[in-house]
Amino acid sequence: MEIGYVILYVSELDVSVGFYRDVVGLAYKFTDAGYAEFRAGGVRFGLYERRRAEWLVGRAVAPGAGGEVVVMVPDVDAVYARLRGAGVDVLSGPADRPWGHRTVHVADPDGFVVEFAAEIPRARQRR
């Protein structure tokens, strides 16, 4: 078994495409029928218009920070400088985390949390 897609339901597709392409830096592939897709390594990352998602799943869907998207980067501090220079509202960081990541968190246009993380030495070991 493997994860094939991660899809977020968004309110304004064009705004979210711009965020994930221009702010996060994912490689944009295409948009078709309310769906947009990006290159994201071994998994497909997509955005789907929330109004269409309601039809798809048969009930209303709500946005929010019910989870996060983690983007691995080589240098969190460089990403932080770029985000601040672009006027992006940074939620937290940069900060070293005990599980072995240095992180910065921002919110996308729908309130989903996007974490930029770089691997660093672990401060604590797993049990």
Side-chain angles (χ1 to χ4, degrees), residues 32-44:
D32 183 37
Y35 173 79
E37 192 170 295
F38 298 82
R39 287 183 186 85
V43 67
R44 292 181 179 141

Side-chain angles (χ1 to χ4, degrees), residues 68 76 80 83-84 88-97 99 102-107 113-116:
E68 69 180 49
V76 165
Y80 173 73
L83 294 171
R84 295 287 298 197
V88 174
D89 185 26
V90 175
L91 301 174
S92 70
D96 292 344
R97 307 300 180 176
W99 52 86
R102 182 163 177 78
T103 65
V104 165
H105 293 88
V106 300
V113 175
V114 178
E115 174 186 293
F116 295 91

Side-chain angles (χ1 to χ4, degrees), residues 5-81:
Y5 291 80
V6 172
I7 301 171
L8 301 180
Y9 298 152
V10 299
S11 57
E12 295 182 48
L13 187 61
D14 290 340
V15 171
S16 292
V17 165
F19 178 83
Y20 283 95
R21 181 192 59 224
D22 302 336
V23 174
V24 175
L26 294 179
Y28 171 76
K29 288 174 65 177
F30 66 87
T31 297
D32 183 37
Y35 173 79
E37 192 170 295
F38 298 82
R39 287 183 186 85
V43 67
R44 292 181 179 141
F45 180 77
L47 305 171
Y48 194 53
E49 291 177 328
R50 185 176 305 115
R51 65 181 179 83
R52 294 176 189 245
E54 292 172 4
W55 164 82
L56 180 68
V57 299
R59 63 177 152 185
V61 294
E68 69 180 49
V69 175
V70 179
V71 179
M72 299 304 294
V73 297
D75 184 346
V76 165
D77 294 287
V79 170
Y80 173 73

